[in-house]
Amino acid sequence: MISFHNEGGIMYRFIFLLFLSFQTNAADFVHPYPSFSEGEKLYTFPDFLNAHYYISYDSENKSASIKAEISFKTEEEGYPLFDLKENPTRVELDGKEIETPLVDSPKKETKFRVMNQLTSIGVHTLRVEVPLKFLLRYTDKGVDSAFWLADLDDRSFLENYIPSSFENDSVEMIFDVSFKISADQQIFANGEIERTGDRDFRITFPKEYTSSSVYYHTTPLGSFNERRFEIKSKVSGKVIPVIVYSKTISNFNSYEESIRQTMDELEADYGPYLHSSFIVYDADLSRWGLGGMEYCGATVTNLWAVQHELFHSFFGRGVMAANGNSGWIDEALASWRDGGYFSNQNMRERRALVLDFPYVKKTNRLAYSYGKNFISFLDGNTKMPIEMKLFMKSLYQKKSWTPITTEDLIVELDLFSGNSYQQLFDEYVYGNKSTLDASELWIEPNSSEHSIHRKISGEDLYKIL
Ligand SMILES: [Zn+2]
Protein backbone atom coordinates (compact mmCIF):
# COMPACT_ATOMS: atom_id res chain seq x y z
CA MET A 1 0.00 0.00 0.00
CA ILE A 2 1.31 3.46 -0.93
CA SER A 3 0.94 6.09 1.72
CA PHE A 4 -1.00 9.16 0.65
CA HIS A 5 0.59 11.44 3.23
CA ASN A 6 4.03 11.90 1.61
CA GLU A 7 5.22 15.05 -0.12
CA GLY A 8 4.09 14.99 -3.76
CA GLY A 9 7.16 15.02 -6.05
CA ILE A 10 6.87 14.28 -9.75
CA MET A 11 7.98 10.69 -9.33
CA TYR A 12 5.55 10.23 -6.49
CA ARG A 13 2.69 11.61 -8.57
CA PHE A 14 3.66 9.27 -11.40
CA ILE A 15 3.51 6.30 -9.06
CA PHE A 16 0.28 7.60 -7.62
CA LEU A 17 -1.31 7.82 -11.08
CA LEU A 18 -0.16 4.32 -11.95
CA PHE A 19 -1.63 3.14 -8.70
CA LEU A 20 -4.92 4.88 -9.42
CA SER A 21 -5.19 3.48 -12.93
CA PHE A 22 -4.44 0.01 -11.61
CA GLN A 23 -7.12 0.46 -8.99
CA THR A 24 -9.64 1.63 -11.59
CA ASN A 25 -9.11 -1.53 -13.60
CA ALA A 26 -9.32 -3.81 -10.59
CA ALA A 27 -12.67 -5.41 -9.93
CA ASP A 28 -13.16 -3.75 -6.55
CA PHE A 29 -14.50 -0.41 -7.78
CA VAL A 30 -15.47 -0.71 -11.41
CA HIS A 31 -18.18 1.91 -11.68
CA PRO A 32 -17.78 4.69 -9.12
CA TYR A 33 -21.11 6.49 -8.64
CA PRO A 34 -20.86 10.18 -9.57
CA SER A 35 -20.44 12.56 -6.65
CA PHE A 36 -23.06 15.33 -6.31
CA SER A 37 -23.27 18.63 -4.51
CA GLU A 38 -25.81 20.37 -2.37
CA GLY A 39 -25.01 23.95 -1.46
CA GLU A 40 -21.33 24.09 -0.54
CA LYS A 41 -21.06 20.40 0.13
CA LEU A 42 -19.71 17.82 -2.31
CA TYR A 43 -21.03 14.36 -1.48
CA THR A 44 -18.60 11.64 -2.58
CA PHE A 45 -18.76 7.86 -2.92
CA PRO A 46 -15.84 6.22 -1.15
CA ASP A 47 -14.29 2.89 -2.12
CA PHE A 48 -14.67 0.51 0.85
CA LEU A 49 -11.45 -1.52 1.07
CA ASN A 50 -12.34 -3.83 3.92
CA ALA A 51 -15.04 -4.05 6.55
CA HIS A 52 -14.88 -5.97 9.83
CA TYR A 53 -18.21 -6.46 11.60
CA TYR A 54 -18.48 -7.64 15.22
CA ILE A 55 -21.99 -9.03 15.74
CA SER A 56 -22.95 -9.82 19.36
CA TYR A 57 -26.13 -11.52 20.52
CA ASP A 58 -27.17 -11.35 24.18
CA SER A 59 -30.09 -13.56 25.20
CA GLU A 60 -30.34 -12.07 28.70
CA ASN A 61 -31.08 -8.59 27.35
CA LYS A 62 -32.76 -10.01 24.22
CA SER A 63 -30.67 -7.63 22.15
CA ALA A 64 -27.98 -7.65 19.50
CA SER A 65 -25.44 -5.08 18.46
CA ILE A 66 -23.02 -4.40 15.65
CA LYS A 67 -19.62 -2.78 15.83
CA ALA A 68 -18.08 -2.10 12.45
CA GLU A 69 -14.58 -1.05 11.51
CA ILE A 70 -14.32 -0.01 7.88
CA SER A 71 -11.31 1.12 5.92
CA PHE A 72 -12.20 3.20 2.87
CA LYS A 73 -10.52 5.34 0.25
CA THR A 74 -11.71 8.62 -1.22
CA GLU A 75 -10.45 10.11 -4.45
CA GLU A 76 -12.16 13.50 -4.02
CA GLU A 77 -12.24 15.87 -1.08
CA GLY A 78 -15.77 16.03 0.24
CA TYR A 79 -18.36 14.39 2.44
CA PRO A 80 -18.33 10.60 1.96
CA LEU A 81 -21.59 8.67 1.65
CA PHE A 82 -22.46 5.18 2.83
CA ASP A 83 -25.72 3.64 3.98
CA LEU A 84 -27.27 2.24 7.16
CA LYS A 85 -31.01 2.20 7.82
CA GLU A 86 -30.92 1.98 11.61
CA ASN A 87 -29.73 5.06 13.53
CA PRO A 88 -26.19 4.44 14.78
CA THR A 89 -25.41 5.11 18.45
CA ARG A 90 -21.82 6.22 17.82
CA VAL A 91 -19.74 6.92 14.72
CA GLU A 92 -16.05 7.82 14.56
CA LEU A 93 -14.11 8.94 11.51
CA ASP A 94 -10.35 8.59 11.98
CA GLY A 95 -10.88 8.47 15.75
CA LYS A 96 -13.08 11.57 15.98
CA GLU A 97 -16.80 11.33 16.75
CA ILE A 98 -19.02 12.53 13.88
CA GLU A 99 -22.71 12.78 12.97
CA THR A 100 -24.12 10.76 10.06
CA PRO A 101 -27.45 12.36 9.04
CA LEU A 102 -29.55 11.10 6.14
CA VAL A 103 -29.44 12.97 2.83
CA ASP A 104 -31.64 12.55 -0.23
CA SER A 105 -30.18 11.70 -3.62
CA PRO A 106 -30.69 14.69 -5.98
CA LYS A 107 -33.84 13.13 -7.54
CA LYS A 108 -34.94 11.56 -4.25
CA GLU A 109 -34.93 7.97 -5.51
CA THR A 110 -33.02 6.92 -2.37
CA LYS A 111 -31.32 8.22 0.77
CA PHE A 112 -27.75 7.97 1.99
CA ARG A 113 -25.95 8.51 5.26
CA VAL A 114 -23.26 11.15 5.06
CA MET A 115 -20.09 11.33 7.14
CA ASN A 116 -20.62 14.92 8.17
CA GLN A 117 -16.96 15.87 8.13
CA LEU A 118 -14.93 17.32 5.25
CA THR A 119 -12.72 14.39 4.32
CA SER A 120 -9.46 14.58 2.40
CA ILE A 121 -8.33 12.33 -0.45
CA GLY A 122 -6.81 9.14 0.91
CA VAL A 123 -7.50 6.19 3.18
CA HIS A 124 -9.67 6.62 6.28
CA THR A 125 -11.17 4.54 9.07
CA LEU A 126 -14.84 4.59 9.95
CA ARG A 127 -16.10 3.01 13.18
CA VAL A 128 -19.82 2.53 13.70
CA GLU A 129 -21.85 1.18 16.59
CA VAL A 130 -25.47 0.32 15.89
CA PRO A 131 -28.12 -1.95 17.43
CA LEU A 132 -29.42 -4.84 15.33
CA LYS A 133 -33.21 -4.77 15.48
CA PHE A 134 -34.61 -6.08 12.19
CA LEU A 135 -35.17 -9.84 11.74
CA LEU A 136 -34.16 -10.70 15.29
CA ARG A 137 -36.13 -13.00 17.55
CA TYR A 138 -35.20 -14.67 20.82
CA THR A 139 -36.86 -17.93 21.84
CA ASP A 140 -36.26 -20.27 24.76
CA LYS A 141 -33.91 -22.20 22.46
CA GLY A 142 -31.67 -19.32 21.34
CA VAL A 143 -31.85 -16.62 18.69
CA ASP A 144 -33.11 -16.43 15.10
CA SER A 145 -31.44 -13.71 13.06
CA ALA A 146 -30.86 -13.19 9.35
CA PHE A 147 -29.52 -10.49 7.05
CA TRP A 148 -31.91 -11.27 4.19
CA LEU A 149 -31.78 -8.88 1.26
CA ALA A 150 -34.32 -7.64 -1.27
CA ASP A 151 -33.74 -6.09 -4.70
CA LEU A 152 -37.29 -4.83 -5.28
CA ASP A 153 -37.17 -2.43 -2.34
CA ASP A 154 -35.06 0.65 -1.73
CA ARG A 155 -32.25 0.41 0.87
CA SER A 156 -32.77 -3.32 1.44
CA PHE A 157 -29.32 -4.77 0.87
CA LEU A 158 -26.76 -5.05 3.72
CA GLU A 159 -27.56 -1.45 4.77
CA ASN A 160 -30.77 -2.84 6.27
CA TYR A 161 -28.56 -4.32 9.05
CA ILE A 162 -24.99 -3.04 8.98
CA PRO A 163 -23.12 0.01 7.65
CA SER A 164 -22.51 -0.75 4.01
CA SER A 165 -21.22 0.45 0.68
CA PHE A 166 -23.08 -0.03 -2.61
CA GLU A 167 -23.53 -2.69 -5.31
CA ASN A 168 -20.68 -1.35 -7.45
CA ASP A 169 -18.13 -1.77 -4.66
CA SER A 170 -16.50 -5.12 -3.84
CA VAL A 171 -15.36 -5.20 -0.20
CA GLU A 172 -13.38 -7.70 1.86
CA MET A 173 -15.84 -8.49 4.65
CA ILE A 174 -15.40 -10.43 7.89
CA PHE A 175 -18.15 -11.15 10.42
CA ASP A 176 -17.03 -12.02 13.97
CA VAL A 177 -20.19 -13.40 15.55
CA SER A 178 -20.49 -14.05 19.29
CA PHE A 179 -23.42 -15.48 21.22
CA LYS A 180 -24.09 -14.87 24.92
CA ILE A 181 -26.55 -17.73 24.76
CA SER A 182 -26.52 -21.01 26.68
CA ALA A 183 -27.63 -23.25 23.79
CA ASP A 184 -25.64 -23.87 20.63
CA GLN A 185 -26.34 -21.87 17.46
CA GLN A 186 -25.74 -22.81 13.85
CA ILE A 187 -24.90 -20.46 11.02
CA PHE A 188 -25.78 -20.72 7.33
CA ALA A 189 -23.62 -18.30 5.35
CA ASN A 190 -22.01 -18.04 1.91
CA GLY A 191 -18.52 -17.44 3.33
CA GLU A 192 -15.92 -19.54 5.09
CA ILE A 193 -17.17 -20.25 8.63
CA GLU A 194 -14.71 -21.08 11.44
CA ARG A 195 -15.47 -21.70 15.09
CA THR A 196 -13.16 -19.37 17.02
CA GLY A 197 -14.45 -20.03 20.55
CA ASP A 198 -17.12 -21.85 22.51
CA ARG A 199 -19.83 -19.49 21.26
CA ASP A 200 -17.82 -17.51 18.71
CA PHE A 201 -17.61 -17.79 14.93
CA ARG A 202 -15.72 -15.99 12.19
CA ILE A 203 -17.14 -15.77 8.66
CA THR A 204 -14.78 -14.61 5.92
CA PHE A 205 -16.52 -13.69 2.68
CA PRO A 206 -14.90 -13.66 -0.79
CA LYS A 207 -13.29 -10.30 -1.57
CA GLU A 208 -15.51 -9.86 -4.64
CA TYR A 209 -18.69 -9.56 -2.54
CA THR A 210 -20.75 -6.38 -2.58
CA SER A 211 -23.75 -5.14 -0.57
CA SER A 212 -26.03 -7.56 -2.44
CA SER A 213 -23.91 -10.72 -2.14
CA VAL A 214 -23.89 -11.84 1.51
CA TYR A 215 -26.13 -14.63 2.83
CA TYR A 216 -26.25 -14.87 6.65
CA HIS A 217 -28.76 -16.74 8.82
CA THR A 218 -28.28 -18.01 12.38
CA THR A 219 -30.67 -20.23 14.24
CA PRO A 220 -30.63 -22.55 17.29
CA LEU A 221 -28.90 -25.82 16.37
CA GLY A 222 -31.37 -28.39 15.08
CA SER A 223 -34.15 -25.93 14.10
CA PHE A 224 -34.28 -27.22 10.51
CA ASN A 225 -34.41 -30.42 8.52
CA GLU A 226 -31.54 -30.46 6.09
CA ARG A 227 -29.90 -32.41 3.33
CA ARG A 228 -26.26 -32.03 2.43
CA PHE A 229 -24.89 -33.46 -0.80
CA GLU A 230 -22.10 -32.79 -3.28
CA ILE A 231 -22.15 -32.11 -7.00
CA LYS A 232 -19.00 -32.92 -8.94
CA SER A 233 -18.83 -30.39 -11.74
CA LYS A 234 -18.80 -32.08 -15.16
CA VAL A 235 -17.04 -29.00 -16.53
CA SER A 236 -14.34 -28.15 -13.98
CA GLY A 237 -14.23 -31.31 -11.83
CA LYS A 238 -14.71 -29.09 -8.77
CA VAL A 239 -16.79 -30.53 -5.92
CA ILE A 240 -19.66 -28.19 -5.00
CA PRO A 241 -21.17 -28.83 -1.56
CA VAL A 242 -24.93 -28.18 -1.45
CA ILE A 243 -27.09 -27.62 1.64
CA VAL A 244 -30.89 -27.53 1.44
CA TYR A 245 -32.66 -26.71 4.71
CA SER A 246 -36.33 -26.39 5.56
CA LYS A 247 -38.85 -26.49 8.39
CA THR A 248 -41.66 -27.96 6.30
CA ILE A 249 -39.90 -30.41 3.97
CA SER A 250 -38.20 -33.57 5.17
CA ASN A 251 -37.85 -35.42 1.86
CA PHE A 252 -35.43 -33.45 -0.29
CA ASN A 253 -35.24 -35.85 -3.28
CA SER A 254 -37.02 -33.52 -5.72
CA TYR A 255 -34.81 -30.61 -4.64
CA GLU A 256 -31.65 -32.63 -5.08
CA GLU A 257 -32.71 -33.82 -8.52
CA SER A 258 -33.67 -30.31 -9.66
CA ILE A 259 -30.44 -28.72 -8.39
CA ARG A 260 -28.24 -31.44 -9.94
CA GLN A 261 -30.00 -31.15 -13.32
CA THR A 262 -29.94 -27.36 -13.37
CA MET A 263 -26.29 -27.16 -12.31
CA ASP A 264 -25.34 -29.53 -15.17
CA GLU A 265 -27.43 -27.53 -17.64
CA LEU A 266 -26.08 -24.12 -16.64
CA GLU A 267 -22.44 -25.23 -16.45
CA ALA A 268 -22.75 -26.83 -19.91
CA ASP A 269 -24.30 -23.64 -21.31
CA TYR A 270 -22.17 -20.98 -19.61
CA GLY A 271 -19.12 -22.48 -17.87
CA PRO A 272 -17.98 -23.55 -14.41
CA TYR A 273 -20.02 -22.54 -11.33
CA LEU A 274 -18.16 -19.73 -9.54
CA HIS A 275 -19.10 -20.13 -5.91
CA SER A 276 -17.67 -22.50 -3.31
CA SER A 277 -21.08 -23.95 -2.32
CA PHE A 278 -24.82 -23.62 -2.92
CA ILE A 279 -27.11 -22.97 0.06
CA VAL A 280 -30.87 -23.24 -0.32
CA TYR A 281 -33.29 -22.19 2.39
CA ASP A 282 -36.65 -23.66 1.46
CA ALA A 283 -38.91 -21.16 3.20
CA ASP A 284 -42.20 -22.45 1.81
CA LEU A 285 -42.65 -19.07 0.14
CA SER A 286 -45.20 -20.43 -2.34
CA ARG A 287 -47.82 -20.17 0.43
CA TRP A 288 -47.77 -16.43 -0.29
CA GLY A 289 -47.17 -16.75 -4.03
CA LEU A 290 -43.56 -15.71 -3.59
CA GLY A 291 -40.55 -17.11 -5.45
CA GLY A 292 -37.38 -16.12 -3.69
CA MET A 293 -34.27 -14.04 -3.45
CA GLU A 294 -30.83 -14.74 -4.82
CA TYR A 295 -27.38 -14.39 -3.25
CA CYS A 296 -23.89 -15.45 -4.36
CA GLY A 297 -24.20 -19.24 -4.20
CA ALA A 298 -27.31 -19.11 -2.01
CA THR A 299 -31.04 -18.52 -2.14
CA VAL A 300 -34.20 -18.29 -0.05
CA THR A 301 -36.78 -19.96 -2.25
CA ASN A 302 -39.02 -22.96 -2.84
CA LEU A 303 -38.88 -25.95 -5.16
CA TRP A 304 -40.60 -24.37 -8.17
CA ALA A 305 -38.25 -21.36 -8.23
CA VAL A 306 -34.93 -22.98 -7.29
CA GLN A 307 -33.80 -23.27 -10.94
CA HIS A 308 -34.39 -19.56 -11.49
CA GLU A 309 -32.44 -18.76 -8.33
CA LEU A 310 -29.53 -21.05 -9.23
CA PHE A 311 -29.39 -19.28 -12.61
CA HIS A 312 -28.79 -16.06 -10.62
CA SER A 313 -25.58 -17.53 -9.20
CA PHE A 314 -24.37 -17.27 -12.81
CA PHE A 315 -26.11 -14.00 -13.82
CA GLY A 316 -26.97 -11.48 -11.11
CA ARG A 317 -24.67 -12.90 -8.43
CA GLY A 318 -21.97 -14.19 -10.82
CA VAL A 319 -21.93 -11.46 -13.43
CA MET A 320 -23.23 -8.82 -11.01
CA ALA A 321 -25.37 -5.69 -11.31
CA ALA A 322 -23.49 -2.43 -10.58
CA ASN A 323 -26.65 -0.53 -9.65
CA GLY A 324 -30.45 -0.71 -9.67
CA ASN A 325 -30.53 0.44 -13.29
CA SER A 326 -28.68 -2.72 -14.36
CA GLY A 327 -30.73 -5.07 -12.15
CA TRP A 328 -33.10 -5.68 -15.09
CA ILE A 329 -30.40 -7.52 -17.05
CA ASP A 330 -30.18 -10.65 -14.92
CA GLU A 331 -33.94 -10.82 -14.30
CA ALA A 332 -34.61 -10.56 -18.03
CA LEU A 333 -32.03 -13.28 -18.75
CA ALA A 334 -33.36 -15.55 -15.96
CA SER A 335 -36.95 -15.08 -17.15
CA TRP A 336 -35.85 -15.77 -20.72
CA ARG A 337 -34.42 -19.12 -19.56
CA ASP A 338 -37.59 -19.85 -17.50
CA GLY A 339 -39.62 -19.28 -20.68
CA GLY A 340 -37.55 -21.74 -22.71
CA TYR A 341 -35.14 -19.33 -24.48
CA PHE A 342 -37.69 -18.42 -27.14
CA SER A 343 -36.87 -16.13 -30.08
CA ASN A 344 -38.94 -13.21 -31.33
CA GLN A 345 -38.46 -11.34 -34.57
CA ASN A 346 -40.59 -8.39 -33.52
CA MET A 347 -40.98 -6.16 -30.51
CA ARG A 348 -44.29 -4.29 -30.43
CA GLU A 349 -44.04 -2.46 -27.11
CA ARG A 350 -41.64 0.32 -26.23
CA ARG A 351 -41.00 0.81 -22.53
CA ALA A 352 -38.06 1.94 -20.41
CA LEU A 353 -36.01 -0.53 -18.39
CA VAL A 354 -33.40 2.05 -17.41
CA LEU A 355 -34.76 5.21 -15.83
CA ASP A 356 -33.19 8.58 -15.32
CA PHE A 357 -32.50 7.98 -11.62
CA PRO A 358 -28.76 7.42 -11.39
CA TYR A 359 -28.74 6.26 -7.76
CA VAL A 360 -31.74 3.91 -7.85
CA LYS A 361 -31.15 0.72 -5.89
CA LYS A 362 -34.07 -1.46 -6.86
CA THR A 363 -34.70 -3.49 -9.97
CA ASN A 364 -37.32 -2.38 -12.50
CA ARG A 365 -40.10 -4.97 -12.36
CA LEU A 366 -40.65 -4.74 -16.11
CA ALA A 367 -37.51 -6.91 -16.34
CA TYR A 368 -39.53 -10.12 -15.84
CA SER A 369 -41.93 -9.53 -18.72
CA TYR A 370 -40.93 -6.70 -21.04
CA GLY A 371 -37.20 -7.30 -20.32
CA LYS A 372 -37.57 -11.00 -21.11
CA ASN A 373 -39.32 -10.12 -24.39
CA PHE A 374 -36.51 -7.71 -25.24
CA ILE A 375 -33.89 -10.48 -24.79
CA SER A 376 -35.94 -12.80 -27.03
CA PHE A 377 -36.07 -9.97 -29.58
CA LEU A 378 -32.26 -9.54 -29.43
CA ASP A 379 -32.01 -13.29 -30.09
CA GLY A 380 -34.53 -13.27 -32.95
CA ASN A 381 -33.82 -9.90 -34.57
CA THR A 382 -32.92 -10.77 -38.16
CA LYS A 383 -31.40 -7.33 -38.91
CA MET A 384 -28.71 -7.79 -36.23
CA PRO A 385 -28.37 -11.53 -35.73
CA ILE A 386 -26.81 -12.69 -32.48
CA GLU A 387 -27.08 -15.99 -30.65
CA MET A 388 -27.88 -14.71 -27.20
CA LYS A 389 -26.93 -17.90 -25.35
CA LEU A 390 -23.47 -17.84 -26.93
CA PHE A 391 -23.19 -14.17 -26.10
CA MET A 392 -24.18 -14.92 -22.49
CA LYS A 393 -21.49 -17.60 -22.29
CA SER A 394 -18.90 -15.09 -23.45
CA LEU A 395 -20.24 -12.46 -21.01
CA TYR A 396 -20.10 -14.95 -18.12
CA GLN A 397 -16.54 -15.93 -18.93
CA LYS A 398 -15.42 -12.32 -19.29
CA LYS A 399 -17.35 -10.58 -16.52
CA SER A 400 -17.78 -13.12 -13.71
CA TRP A 401 -17.44 -11.46 -10.28
CA THR A 402 -17.75 -8.07 -11.97
CA PRO A 403 -20.52 -5.53 -11.41
CA ILE A 404 -21.78 -4.42 -14.84
CA THR A 405 -24.01 -1.60 -16.05
CA THR A 406 -26.45 -1.47 -18.97
CA GLU A 407 -23.77 0.53 -20.84
CA ASP A 408 -21.29 -2.34 -20.34
CA LEU A 409 -23.87 -4.71 -21.81
CA ILE A 410 -24.08 -2.57 -24.97
CA VAL A 411 -20.28 -2.52 -25.30
CA GLU A 412 -20.09 -6.31 -24.91
CA LEU A 413 -22.92 -6.91 -27.40
CA ASP A 414 -21.14 -4.67 -29.94
CA LEU A 415 -17.79 -6.43 -29.43
CA PHE A 416 -19.32 -9.90 -29.67
CA SER A 417 -21.47 -9.25 -32.74
CA GLY A 418 -19.71 -6.50 -34.68
CA ASN A 419 -23.02 -4.60 -34.72
CA SER A 420 -23.94 -1.38 -32.93
CA TYR A 421 -26.69 -1.79 -30.33
CA GLN A 422 -26.91 1.79 -29.01
CA GLN A 423 -29.88 2.81 -31.16
CA LEU A 424 -31.83 -0.33 -30.31
CA PHE A 425 -31.21 0.25 -26.60
CA ASP A 426 -32.20 3.92 -26.91
CA GLU A 427 -35.50 2.78 -28.36
CA TYR A 428 -36.33 -0.25 -26.23
CA VAL A 429 -34.32 0.06 -23.00
CA TYR A 430 -33.85 3.74 -22.24
CA GLY A 431 -37.20 4.77 -23.74
CA ASN A 432 -38.16 8.39 -23.64
CA LYS A 433 -36.90 9.12 -20.15
CA SER A 434 -38.36 12.59 -19.96
CA THR A 435 -41.92 11.25 -19.95
CA LEU A 436 -41.32 8.72 -17.18
CA ASP A 437 -41.29 9.07 -13.45
CA ALA A 438 -40.25 6.95 -10.52
CA SER A 439 -43.65 5.28 -10.36
CA GLU A 440 -42.56 3.17 -13.36
CA LEU A 441 -40.39 1.25 -10.95
CA TRP A 442 -43.30 0.13 -8.82
CA ILE A 443 -45.35 -1.53 -11.55
CA GLU A 444 -46.68 -4.84 -10.23
CA PRO A 445 -46.40 -7.75 -12.66
CA ASN A 446 -49.74 -9.06 -13.99
CA SER A 447 -51.02 -12.12 -12.20
CA SER A 448 -50.48 -14.02 -15.44
CA GLU A 449 -46.77 -13.20 -15.30
CA HIS A 450 -44.71 -15.26 -12.97
CA SER A 451 -44.15 -13.80 -9.56
CA ILE A 452 -40.76 -15.26 -8.72
CA HIS A 453 -39.63 -11.99 -7.25
CA ARG A 454 -42.90 -10.61 -5.99
CA LYS A 455 -41.99 -8.20 -3.25
CA ILE A 456 -41.37 -9.83 0.14
CA SER A 457 -42.44 -7.64 3.04
CA GLY A 458 -40.68 -7.34 6.39
CA GLU A 459 -43.61 -9.22 7.96
CA ASP A 460 -43.15 -12.09 5.49
CA LEU A 461 -39.50 -12.27 6.46
CA TYR A 462 -40.34 -12.56 10.18
CA LYS A 463 -42.66 -15.47 9.32
CA ILE A 464 -39.83 -17.44 7.77
CA LEU A 465 -37.17 -16.50 10.35
ZN1 LIG B 1 -34.84 -13.48 -10.41
Side-chain angles (χ1 to χ4, degrees):
M1 175 64 70
I2 294 168
S3 161
F4 289 87
H5 305 291
N6 295 339
E7 291 280 272
I10 289 173
M11 183 51 99
Y12 172 71
R13 275 199 294 262
F14 176 67
I15 294 168
F16 179 73
L17 284 173
L18 272 181
F19 178 68
L20 280 184
S21 65
F22 169 74
Q23 283 293 310
T24 311
N25 291 333
D28 83 310
F29 208 38
V30 184
H31 292 289
Y33 295 170
S35 50
F36 62 91
S37 38
E38 194 184 84
E40 300 279 283
K41 282 185 175 171
L42 181 69
Y43 294 125
T44 64
F45 288 87
D47 176 4
F48 277 29
L49 303 173
N50 53 66
H52 200 142
Y53 300 98
Y54 300 85
I55 305 163
S56 311
Y57 296 94
D58 183 345
S59 66
E60 211 172 283
N61 297 320
K62 295 201 171 0
S63 66
S65 61
I66 311 284
K67 282 187 183 174
E69 184 169 322
I70 295 159
S71 165
F72 69 87
K73 190 175 75 183
T74 49
E75 290 180 359
E76 283 176 290
E77 186 179 82
Y79 294 80
L81 300 170
F82 66 108
D83 203 11
L84 173 63
K85 246 185 180 169
E86 189 64 52
N87 288 321
T89 47
R90 183 177 174 87
V91 184
E92 281 179 17
L93 178 60
D94 298 327
K96 190 180 151 203
E97 189 166 5
I98 58 162
E99 299 289 314
T100 55
L102 289 171
V103 293
D104 284 320
S105 62
K107 291 189 168 181
K108 300 195 178 354
E109 64 270 46
T110 191
K111 288 180 195 302
F112 305 109
R113 273 195 194 275
V114 59
M115 303 177 210
N116 216 358
Q117 167 76 44
L118 186 63
T119 303
S120 60
I121 292 169
V123 177
H124 300 273
T125 303
L126 178 73
R127 286 196 182 83
V128 180
E129 296 179 15
V130 63
L132 175 65
K133 293 181 180 170
F134 185 47
L135 293 186
L136 177 74
R137 185 173 56 213
Y138 284 90
T139 63
D140 49 5
K141 287 192 209 141
V143 65
D144 296 298
S145 165
F147 292 0
W148 288 323
L149 313 178
D151 56 3
L152 296 177
D153 280 313
D154 185 32
R155 303 181 74 208
S156 294
F157 292 129
L158 277 180
E159 63 271 16
N160 221 341
Y161 310 90
I162 55 181
S164 172
S165 180
F166 305 97
E167 273 199 291
N168 61 331
D169 189 9
S170 300
V171 187
E172 294 187 45
M173 286 182 266
I174 291 175
F175 287 5
D176 271 322
V177 187
S178 70
F179 298 98
K180 271 199 196 166
I181 291 173
S182 55
D184 215 355
Q185 289 281 132
Q186 65 184 330
I187 294 176
F188 299 99
N190 57 356
E192 201 187 302
I193 305 172
E194 308 160 64
R195 195 160 200 141
T196 50
D198 188 31
R199 294 283 182 272
D200 305 307
F201 298 84
R202 169 167 286 193
I203 313 169
T204 307
F205 295 99
K207 64 183 191 321
E208 293 87 356
Y209 276 17
T210 71
S211 62
S212 61
S213 306
V214 166
Y215 185 78
Y216 169 76
H217 182 195
T218 182
T219 175
L221 193 65
S223 302
F224 289 93
N225 306 318
E226 60 173 58
R227 175 171 296 180
R228 290 172 189 250
F229 59 96
E230 288 177 343
I231 299 177
K232 188 159 192 280
S233 166
K234 291 192 174 77
V235 175
S236 68
K238 186 172 96 170
V239 172
I240 306 158
V242 181
I243 306 170
V244 186
Y245 67 103
S246 173
K247 271 190 180 141
T248 53
I249 291 180
S250 52
N251 182 338
F252 294 95
N253 289 348
S254 308
Y255 254 113
E256 181 169 342
E257 196 184 329
S258 178
I259 293 166
R260 284 186 185 281
Q261 260 178 20
T262 312
M263 187 69 84
D264 285 353
E265 174 207 313
L266 296 174
E267 284 204 313
D269 283 347
Y270 304 116
Y273 181 72
L274 282 183
H275 309 287
S276 57
S277 62
F278 186 51
I279 303 166
V280 179
Y281 174 26
D282 171 275
D284 197 19
L285 292 170
S286 50
R287 276 183 297 170
W288 305 297
L290 299 166
M293 180 61 198
E294 67 274 15
Y295 301 80
C296 289
T299 177
V300 178
T301 189
N302 53 45
L303 183 58
W304 65 267
V306 72
Q307 297 191 6
H308 175 105
E309 303 302 342
L310 179 52
F311 179 95
H312 278 308
S313 275
F314 291 74
F315 296 95
R317 301 297 178 264
V319 179
M320 299 148 121
N323 52 37
N325 263 330
S326 43
W328 72 271
I329 299 170
D330 60 85
E331 293 305 349
L333 295 176
S335 305
W336 188 50
R337 180 201 163 273
D338 296 341
Y341 292 123
F342 63 99
S343 265
N344 253 338
Q345 289 189 12
N346 301 303
M347 186 81 185
R348 289 203 185 95
E349 271 185 293
R350 277 165 186 72
R351 306 290 296 270
L353 288 161
V354 173
L355 303 178
D356 199 9
F357 295 95
Y359 304 101
V360 73
K361 284 186 165 180
K362 52 189 177 181
T363 294
N364 188 333
R365 284 152 183 274
L366 288 174
Y368 302 106
S369 49
Y370 177 82
K372 170 187 70 183
N373 292 340
F374 178 66
I375 300 295
S376 71
F377 174 56
L378 290 180
D379 191 65
N381 181 354
T382 49
K383 283 183 197 146
M384 291 202 283
I386 185 167
E387 278 197 54
M388 275 304 286
K389 278 182 76 179
L390 290 181
F391 167 70
M392 285 159 66
K393 181 177 185 173
S394 131
L395 186 71
Y396 180 69
Q397 289 174 357
K398 213 169 152 183
K399 295 286 181 184
S400 282
W401 286 127
T402 309
I404 64 161
T405 60
T406 300
E407 293 67 42
D408 291 331
L409 181 67
I410 298 172
V411 168
E412 295 303 326
L413 281 164
D414 287 0
L415 283 172
F416 184 83
S417 68
N419 295 318
S420 170
Y421 278 89
Q422 187 64 52
Q423 209 183 336
L424 205 72
F425 271 63
D426 285 343
E427 191 170 349
Y428 294 101
V429 175
Y430 294 97
N432 182 359
K433 290 185 214 171
S434 60
T435 65
L436 294 164
D437 62 51
S439 63
E440 288 279 330
L441 288 167
W442 277 265
I443 292 169
E444 293 290 335
N446 297 330
S447 54
S448 61
E449 290 164 359
H450 78 63
S451 53
I452 277 186
H453 285 253
R454 216 194 74 196
K455 204 156 134 179
I456 302 180
S457 69
E459 277 173 25
D460 291 332
L461 291 176
Y462 268 102
K463 285 185 214 157
I464 64 170
L465 193 60

